[in-house]
Amino acid sequence: MQKPNRTNRRDFLAASASAAAIATPYFVSSRSLGAAEHVAPSEKITLGVIGMGPRCTYDMKSILQLGDVQCVAIADVQQSRRDAGKQLVDQHYGNTDCQLVSDFRELLARDDIDAVIIATGDRWHAAASILAAEAGKDVYSEKPCGITIGDCQNISKTFAKTERIFQAGTQRRSVPNFQTAVQLAQTGRLGKIETLYASVYIPTLKNEWLPGEPTPSKEVCDWNMWLGPAPWRPYNSSYVNGRWRGEYDFDSGARLLDWGAHTVDLCQWANQSDDTLPIHYEPTDENIVCTYANGVKLVIDFLADPFGDRGPRWITRLGTCPVRFVGSEGSVETGDEGEIVASSATLNDELAQNKRVRGLDVSAHARNFFDCVKSRQQTVCNPTVMRRSHVACHAAALSWILKRKLTINPKTEEFIADDEANRLRFRSPRVWS
């Protein structure tokens, strides 16, 4: 049971947000929604960090600017990352108050923490999110939120049961150019939507082990906790420095979700399919062609050079994570540089007036999460949105891995007449504690 002071603060935050919603017009500034510099300590959302790597560092530089959020603790299995995180937080606040732990369960046991950001490696996202929800915390989880279909289902079920707030870190839903492109697709400006294009890396499937190295002390790097639910293997320093990416045991969907969690999600949104997903998945050498029940095609396109020349199929200057929406009367393409290119000169003139924000910016997405922590309303990338987009990505990846067409029941998220594919929806977690 939560202590009274925490419940009171939660009630106060929720009541304040509700009162603001009644007293203010629809369009309000982030300052009036709780981002002002001078906020009483009792009104602040207290935040814990689980996993302080490069991506979390990027996120925190935005989150620390929010005056109604106070980061109070960091958990990481690596001492160097704990120390770097504390330096970042303490320098911002001008004190030495940020507390450090190596085992995130100690952070979850604190009654004074309202919310956590989970930015570990992919293998931990689902388990840590579920444990956090069960401990009464609201969760912002970096993507991919689960490395299996089963993970994503379990997250969705847990947050529905616990009534905690969840935000998937697919922040492009909160970036203006992507929002505008989706709006054009949804409002008929492109005619009837026919084909959606989502860019991804060329999928890879690696299962090799790096050579074993002497395991460092638990204080320097808790290797058992680093592995977590992933299968055991010998320690190698390259893993903890990012070399885990692409390894089947640690990654998800043959790396398809690294970009697909964003780009497929945007296509889902453009097709107004947040409550469903494509039914058919058919891999080719260059892409995976997915088909919705309404006949719309989703083409998950493999990029040989995702961070370089993305031509000729994509406009390179638009940046990374590009998407394209094609309708019967026109198309739009956009990416992380914030520009939108349309097939219509008139529409291009109109779009040229839009404010450009880079797709990597987490500011608005984090703001949405913390506002929902106060209001108890669903976030823009809530568990249902995450589950459907992620399951679509995983289904596509499994079709590529198995090298055959798969058909899924969008209600049960089970593959039809394919026992092998259904077994691959789950992985048995290692007993790590």
Side-chain angles (χ1 to χ4, degrees):
M1 180 177 294
Q2 297 173 352
K3 292 181 181 178
N5 66 327
R6 182 175 173 198
T7 304
N8 289 342
R9 184 169 71 251
R10 279 195 179 280
D11 291 345
F12 178 83
L13 292 172
S16 297
S18 298
I22 294 171
T24 57
Y26 182 78
F27 293 103
V28 292
S29 69
S30 61
R31 186 179 184 87
S32 61
L33 284 174
E37 291 183 8
H38 303 294
V39 178
S42 61
E43 299 177 36
K44 290 192 176 186
I45 299 167
T46 49
L47 178 70
V49 173
I50 301 174
M52 193 72 204
R55 178 61 197 180
C56 190
T57 300
Y58 184 93
D59 291 345
M60 288 302 296
K61 288 179 179 178
S62 293
I63 291 171
L64 288 172
Q65 305 308 312
L66 304 178
D68 58 339
V69 179
Q70 181 84 19
C71 179
V72 298
I74 294 171
D76 198 292
V77 298
Q78 296 185 71
Q79 183 178 38
S80 60
R81 293 191 172 187
R82 292 194 299 272
D83 292 345
K86 179 175 173 61
Q87 182 179 20
L88 175 70
V89 172
D90 286 349
Q91 282 186 350
H92 176 81
Y93 293 132
N95 57 38
T96 60
D97 294 346
C98 183
Q99 297 184 10
L100 303 180
V101 295
S102 61
D103 188 330
F104 72 88
R105 290 171 296 182
E106 296 180 41
L107 184 152
L108 296 182
R110 288 181 52 167
D111 190 62
D112 63 332
I113 292 179
D114 298 311
V116 295
I117 177 171
I118 297 173
T120 59
D122 298 0
R123 67 204 172 278
W124 260 119
H125 289 169
S129 294
I130 289 169
L131 288 172
E134 292 173 342
K137 316 302 181 189
D138 298 322
V139 173
Y140 182 112
S141 172
E142 273 299 344
K143 59 81 197 172
C145 301
I147 63 173
T148 66
I149 289 175
D151 277 349
C152 299
Q153 293 171 332
N154 288 335
I155 291 172
S156 181
K157 292 174 184 176
T158 299
F159 279 83
K161 179 180 178 180
T162 60
E163 298 184 332
R164 295 295 94 199
I165 299 301
F166 178 87
Q167 177 85 298
T170 44
Q171 78 279 355
R172 286 167 180 83
R173 281 215 181 199
S174 299
V175 176
N177 61 300
F178 293 109
Q179 292 174 325
T180 299
V182 167
Q183 183 182 41
L184 292 171
Q186 290 187 347
T187 57
R189 298 289 300 278
L190 308 178
K192 184 181 184 297
I193 295 300
E194 297 173 344
T195 309
L196 309 161
Y197 292 86
S199 60
V200 297
Y201 307 158
I202 295 174
T204 58
L205 193 62
K206 297 194 296 185
N207 294 288
E208 74 273 18
W209 284 11
L210 297 179
E213 296 176 355
T215 304
S217 69
K218 189 174 180 179
E219 176 66 20
V220 172
C221 178
D222 188 335
W223 179 237
N224 177 63
M225 282 294 289
W226 189 95
L227 287 170
W232 183 89
R233 66 172 65 193
Y235 172 83
N236 185 292
S237 57
S238 294
Y239 291 135
V240 300
N241 290 317
R243 177 60 179 75
W244 59 267
R245 293 188 179 276
E247 293 287 347
Y248 178 81
D249 287 347
F250 304 143
D251 213 324
S252 52
R255 290 206 77 183
L256 189 147
L257 277 83
D258 205 348
W259 274 18
H262 293 292
T263 58
V264 170
D265 177 66
L266 292 166
C267 291
Q268 284 267 112
W269 191 21
N271 197 42
Q272 302 184 65
S273 296
D274 282 344
D275 60 348
T276 187
L277 63 153
I279 296 173
H280 303 296
Y281 301 81
E282 188 164 5
T284 76
D285 291 338
E286 293 188 346
N287 55 42
I288 302 167
V289 180
C290 317
T291 308
Y292 289 92
N294 64 1
V296 172
K297 299 289 185 183
L298 165 61
V299 179
I300 302 177
D301 188 42
F302 305 157
L303 298 185
D305 189 7
F307 294 95
D309 183 1
R310 289 173 288 276
R313 297 195 299 272
W314 297 89
I315 303 171
T316 296
R317 77 170 190 272
L318 296 182
T320 50
C321 278
V323 292
R324 184 163 63 251
F325 309 144
V326 180
S328 59
E329 298 177 17
S331 65
V332 290
E333 181 176 331
T334 191
D336 281 341
E337 291 304 316
E339 180 185 1
I340 306 173
V341 173
S343 56
S344 159
T346 301
L347 190 52
N348 277 326
D349 290 341
E350 178 183 327
L351 293 170
Q353 309 304 314
N354 291 351
K355 177 184 178 181
R356 291 176 63 171
V357 176
R358 293 200 71 229
L360 302 180
D361 186 14
V362 74
S363 302
H365 206 57
R367 183 69 263 162
N368 173 255
F369 170 64
F370 291 114
D371 286 344
C372 290
V373 168
K374 294 179 179 183
S375 70
R376 312 314 292 171
Q377 301 299 309
Q378 289 292 309
T379 62
V380 295
C381 289
N382 60 65
T384 299
V385 168
M386 176 281 297
R387 174 176 176 167
R388 294 306 200 173
S389 295
H390 276 47
V391 170
C393 289
H394 281 299
L398 288 176
S399 75
W400 180 85
I401 291 169
L402 295 172
K403 302 187 185 306
R404 61 174 176 265
K405 182 177 180 178
L406 297 178
T407 299
I408 199 169
N409 181 325
K411 292 183 179 180
T412 63
E413 297 169 345
E414 295 178 352
F415 294 104
I416 296 173
D418 198 318
D419 291 342
E420 185 178 18
N422 279 323
R423 287 195 297 271
L424 291 173
R425 291 180 304 146
F426 307 96
R427 300 184 196 178
S428 297
R430 184 179 69 98
V431 178
W432 51 272
S433 175

